[in-house]
Amino acid sequence: MHMQFLGATGTVTGSKYLVTCDRSRILVDCGRFQGYKQLRLRNWPQLPVAVSSIEHSRALPLYTEADAVETLKYFSPVSPMAADVTALYRGYRKEHRLNDEQCRVLCHVAKFVDSAEESKALNQRRMPMVIIAASGMATGGRVLHHLKALASDPRNTILFDGFQAGGTRGAAMLGSAESIKIHGEYIPLRAQVVQIENLSAHADVDEILALISKFREAPKRTFITHGEPEAADALRRRIEETRRWHCASGAWASISTSNNE
């Protein structure tokens, strides 16, 4: 069995892992590289398998155009994603810790905007409001139209609630950039830019250590990915020191071979 690291190595974006076993190939995850140009250029070369979409899908091993077309019947347009995810809380109340009243409030606290036309219309409103939009690092999506229309007004606040990878618009804005480039045009950045750093949905180091402490036996190999170099190496040291596991960071495009495992 071989595993090739095609993304999320030395960075938090571009998550892709190609697993090959005998004659079968499975691409696990299909994230898009974001941030610095040398990373974004990795989005363009053809992957070893054809995939149906990008940005965190569970990709299928497709070998012909006909295979790709055939899979389209299993997909439906979903935009914006956050609205549909919120709806899942209503349908799976036993799977989370919110009670019925909290779930009701969650699903009615905001107006969900489904169409692109409604989203664009928000930029014409001249009243106080809070717009929640993706992508979280301001690399694409509807948030770009909102930033283009609203970032130059000093009365506005741009609030980031998650990590901003280097080279992204989000990182530039938090780094006090005077302007940001959107759709080929430089937009003056006069709005206040702030960040909340403790709302990430990703597990932190203590939560990861708590999770792996439940393993009945140590894995034969442990790879640290989906982190920038300093953070990934810090996690590697913590795991090696507390669990005595052998850890390594997978390099981009490198291949790990496992026999009889």
Side-chain angles (χ1 to χ4, degrees):
M1 183 179 76
H2 307 284
M3 181 168 65
Q4 185 174 19
F5 300 90
L6 297 175
T9 54
T11 178
V12 300
T13 68
S15 179
K16 286 184 288 289
Y17 310 94
L18 180 64
V19 180
T20 303
C21 186
D22 296 327
R23 299 179 63 181
S24 300
R25 294 188 299 173
I26 300 175
L27 186 65
V28 181
D29 214 344
C30 192
R32 179 167 56 91
F33 284 102
Q34 303 176 61
Y36 296 112
K37 186 173 182 178
Q38 62 265 34
L39 291 177
R40 289 185 279 113
L41 289 175
R42 296 178 182 176
N43 290 322
W44 303 115
Q46 184 174 349
L47 292 173
V49 294
V51 296
S52 54
S53 64
I54 61 173
E55 199 64 68
H56 297 295
S57 63
R58 289 298 180 263
L60 308 173
L62 311 176
Y63 299 100
T64 68
E65 182 179 354
D67 289 337
V69 172
E70 176 65 16
T71 64
L72 293 179
K73 65 183 181 183
Y74 299 108
F75 295 85
S76 59
V78 176
S79 179
M81 182 177 69
D84 296 278
V85 171
T86 303
L88 291 177
Y89 279 87
R90 293 196 296 261
Y92 296 91
R93 295 189 181 183
K94 294 182 180 180
E95 304 299 326
H96 53 73
R97 290 177 289 181
L98 298 179
N99 60 37
D100 288 350
E101 177 59 19
Q102 291 171 328
C103 189
R104 186 193 67 78
V105 171
L106 169 70
C107 296
H108 292 87
V109 71
K111 172 179 172 55
F112 294 102
V113 175
D114 295 317
S115 71
E117 291 72 23
E118 287 181 285
S119 182
K120 293 177 182 178
L122 293 176
N123 298 330
Q124 307 305 317
R125 299 177 65 175
R126 293 295 180 263
M127 62 180 66
M129 59 182 170
V130 176
I131 300 175
I132 302 174
S135 70
M137 298 184 192
T139 57
R142 297 185 182 184
V143 71
L144 295 185
H145 296 281
H146 300 312
L147 290 173
K148 195 173 183 178
L150 305 172
S152 60
D153 191 334
R155 297 174 298 176
N156 295 329
T157 295
I158 301 169
L159 174 62
F160 291 97
D161 66 352
F163 177 75
Q164 303 300 305
T168 61
R169 288 188 186 88
M173 285 188 276
L174 286 172
S176 303
E178 295 184 356
S179 64
I180 49 176
K181 189 177 183 180
I182 301 177
H183 303 147
E185 177 183 354
Y186 282 95
I187 307 300
L189 183 58
R190 302 189 185 100
Q192 181 183 11
V193 181
V194 294
Q195 182 181 33
I196 300 176
E197 297 183 349
N198 60 350
L199 291 183
S200 173
H202 296 284
D204 59 19
V205 61
D206 291 330
E207 290 170 316
I208 292 174
L209 291 174
L211 172 66
I212 66 177
S213 70
K214 303 182 187 303
F215 283 33
R216 294 181 179 178
E217 58 183 79
K220 294 181 179 179
R221 299 184 184 184
T222 302
F223 295 97
I224 307 298
T225 66
H226 221 283
E228 297 196 340
E230 183 178 356
D233 194 58
L235 177 59
R236 177 194 62 78
R237 291 197 307 270
R238 287 287 300 275
I239 294 176
E240 289 184 340
E241 292 169 359
T242 60
R243 307 300 302 172
R244 303 302 184 212
W245 292 2
H246 174 67
C247 299
S249 297
W252 181 66
S254 65
I255 298 176
S256 172
T257 301
S258 175
N259 296 318
N260 299 320
E261 296 184 12

